[in-house]
Amino acid sequence: AGDMKTRDALRPITNARPQGVNYILHGSLVNWQGWQFRLRFDARQGTVLNRVGYQTAAGMRPVAYEIAMSEMFVPYHDNDPNWFYRAYFDMGEYGFGNMATQLQQADCPSHAEYLNVTLHTVDGTPLEAKDRICIFEHDPGHPAWRHEEPILTGIPGIETHQSRRSMELVVRMVATIGNYDYFQDYVFTQDGRLRIRLISTGLDAAKAVLAETLASPSAKTDTQTGTLIAPHRLGVNHDHFFSYRIDFDIDGTANNFTRMRLGAPPQAKNAPRQGIWQVSPQRVSDEKSAQTAMSAERPAVLLFSSNQTKNAMGYPTGYQLIMPNIKPLVTPMDEAFKRAYWVNRNLWVTRFKRDEIFASGLPTNQSAPWLGLPEYIVDNENIEDADIVAWATMGFHHVPMAEDWPVMPSKVDEIILKPRNFFDRNPAIDLPN
């Protein structure tokens, strides 16, 4: 690709902040559009949010005490002697923060504000690492809300259209771990949502093979565990699993976890409709019962709520946890997967304990099986009206393709914290024209 010409430059789209920024950064404290949080940096976890809350007329209301990555697991699926052992715990083995790279060029908008962080050399000497975090606001390209009343169009004195521009606050870092580059974003919105976003790019790990194309004699054998992404280069099939630890404190430390099951109960024979679905809330009482494997056959709203605070309609104030359905395709008794047993559930919920931080346990280099979350739930503690922690997984099964070569296009995955009856109405209703 050395002789490939780049396409003509595009006319620029300006990103600017001519009147300054809308957030206030005071030390580690950030305030923006009702949101307040502490931002810190950890050599293992990267960017960490603490004391996340939202300002309302009732005062500063807590949402979560801490939100941070808990572990990454990237296993390759090839039994070749040079590949079978490649199952990486990228965060625990290398340190997501340790691998943070200096942000530059297109990593952040031109108007972003950059922050330095403190890392340490091998002998423990502090080292100031330049521009490892950026903070910026941007227009996501869609309104915060909109409505049109076409039936009233043309009536004098009646405004038929209302819409409000949206703005988001993004806290970003990028870690380069081996061949992959990972963006870790926390995205705050004006309607009370918080998106935990992981963007994967960089290079596929390529295995040398004899086949040049699928017409080559060895192609059938060579491509059993991956895709030819270039002549003699096989992109090996693998997974990306990202675990995030969310220490909820919704309107206080005493919270509950409820599965709001969606289902279609039988209707009376004379009912005008037979196809009616309803919601059946099921509060979860203990850690083992809280393990959740996402299923299209049994959909549910996963709700974390206060044990006593209610909104104006009388519902418990809460936040809904939304995540993709990433399910392992192999037996959990695989030697690598025993050490990452948390991937067998999209969600775990535990009672808070100070030293329970990492989904695969404190050590991961050559670690023993069953550490971390399997240990944490052995005592099966009660999680009702308690300080509880959610462990949510996102990620993807990576089947390589030619478009991954020579550099993989950015792949976006998200966990979303969405207010559910935390407010009395849409918190973005008061946005100005």
Side-chain angles (χ1 to χ4, degrees):
D3 58 349
M4 183 180 66
K5 294 182 179 179
T6 59
R7 65 183 72 179
D8 293 340
L10 294 172
R11 297 178 181 89
I13 299 173
T14 303
N15 289 311
R17 50 178 189 187
Q19 299 179 36
V21 298
N22 297 291
Y23 60 86
I24 299 173
L25 177 60
H26 182 72
S28 66
L29 183 65
V30 182
N31 282 278
W32 180 81
Q33 292 290 287
W35 284 106
Q36 183 181 96
F37 58 94
R38 295 275 181 178
L39 172 62
R40 66 182 180 88
F41 187 85
D42 182 84
R44 180 165 176 170
Q45 297 172 287
T47 43
V48 178
L49 304 182
N50 281 105
R51 295 190 177 275
V52 181
Y54 201 95
Q55 181 71 45
T56 68
M60 183 56 65
R61 298 172 58 191
V63 173
Y65 176 74
E66 185 167 274
I67 301 173
M69 185 183 288
S70 171
E71 191 52 82
M72 292 174 58
F73 180 49
V74 184
Y76 286 79
H77 296 282
D78 190 325
N79 268 328
D80 182 281
N82 293 308
W83 281 82
F84 78 91
Y85 60 86
R86 301 190 190 212
Y88 303 106
F89 292 79
D90 283 338
M91 195 201 84
E93 291 176 336
Y94 303 104
F96 200 75
N98 277 335
M99 299 291 106
T101 57
Q102 184 173 355
L103 299 168
Q104 49 194 316
Q105 295 180 335
D107 291 337
C108 306
S110 58
H111 62 275
E113 180 175 359
Y114 293 84
L115 304 177
N116 301 340
V117 303
T118 300
L119 295 174
H120 296 85
T121 61
V122 291
D123 65 358
T125 303
L127 170 69
E128 184 177 40
K130 184 177 176 58
D131 299 343
R132 291 316 197 262
I133 301 173
C134 72
I135 301 178
F136 59 90
E137 298 167 288
H138 76 136
D139 183 337
H142 59 78
W145 54 265
R146 177 198 192 275
H147 186 59
E148 177 92 17
E149 289 285 359
I151 195 170
L152 301 177
T153 301
I155 301 177
I158 296 182
E159 191 172 351
T160 62
H161 179 91
Q162 290 281 344
S163 62
R164 298 293 185 271
R165 291 189 180 277
S166 182
M167 188 178 292
E168 295 179 343
L169 178 73
V170 181
V171 177
R172 170 173 293 171
M173 65 158 286
V174 181
T176 299
I177 307 176
N179 49 298
Y180 275 106
D181 299 70
Y182 296 105
F183 285 66
Q184 178 167 265
D185 288 356
Y186 298 106
V187 183
F188 296 85
T189 71
Q190 294 167 299
D191 59 10
R193 280 178 296 171
L194 170 54
R195 304 207 308 271
I196 304 168
R197 185 166 65 195
L198 211 294
I199 305 173
S200 306
T201 180
L203 309 178
D204 276 357
K207 174 185 178 183
V209 293
L210 293 174
E212 184 174 7
T213 71
L214 289 181
S216 300
S218 64
K220 184 176 180 179
T221 301
D222 288 344
T223 59
Q224 286 183 347
T225 58
T227 304
L228 276 176
I229 56 176
H232 308 298
R233 295 171 177 87
L234 187 81
V236 177
N237 299 330
H238 58 284
D239 301 311
H240 297 254
F241 296 101
F242 311 101
S243 174
Y244 275 83
R245 178 181 177 275
I246 305 165
D247 181 1
F248 280 113
D249 280 354
I250 299 172
D251 281 325
T253 56
N255 288 177
N256 287 299
F257 170 49
T258 301
R259 293 191 190 97
M260 301 173 65
R261 294 286 189 191
L262 279 60
Q267 303 295 311
K269 290 184 178 180
N270 60 348
R273 290 269 307 280
Q274 289 297 308
I276 301 293
W277 63 262
Q278 296 174 342
V279 180
S280 301
Q282 301 171 3
R283 183 187 289 188
V284 181
S285 62
D286 58 79
E287 292 176 323
K288 290 185 178 179
S289 300
Q291 298 177 68
T292 302
M294 305 294 283
S295 170
E297 290 74 36
R298 301 190 68 194
V301 171
L302 306 176
L303 176 65
F304 293 82
S305 61
S306 169
N307 74 326
Q308 57 182 7
T309 305
K310 294 178 170 56
N311 75 349
M313 278 63 70
Y315 290 103
T317 58
Y319 262 76
Q320 176 183 349
L321 186 59
I322 304 171
M323 72 205 85
N325 185 4
I326 173 68
K327 180 182 179 181
L329 304 175
V330 302
T331 171
M333 300 309 291
D334 176 85
E335 290 304 319
F337 277 73
K338 286 180 185 178
R339 300 166 56 215
Y341 193 77
W342 49 271
V343 303
N344 291 284
R345 297 292 183 268
N346 295 79
L347 176 67
W348 304 62
V349 182
T350 62
R351 194 178 182 112
F352 171 82
K353 287 183 180 176
R354 185 178 295 273
D355 59 348
E356 293 180 355
I357 302 295
F358 305 112
S360 284
L362 181 62
T364 53
N365 280 296
Q366 301 181 355
S367 59
W370 322 120
L371 300 183
L373 278 165
E375 291 181 292
Y376 304 161
I377 69 166
V378 166
D379 53 7
N380 198 27
E381 289 191 288
N382 182 277
I383 57 172
E384 291 187 285
D385 302 333
D387 189 357
I388 55 179
V389 177
W391 308 73
T393 301
M394 62 174 162
F396 59 102
H397 304 298
H398 192 165
V399 181
M401 55 190 178
E403 289 82 359
D404 288 347
W405 182 264
V407 180
M408 173 186 165
S410 295
K411 166 75 167 63
V412 178
D413 293 278
E414 288 187 329
I415 295 168
I416 302 173
L417 307 186
K418 181 179 181 180
R420 177 164 288 276
N421 299 313
F422 186 81
F423 301 98
D424 295 335
R425 61 179 186 174
N426 182 351
I429 195 67
D430 59 353
L431 291 177
N433 280 312

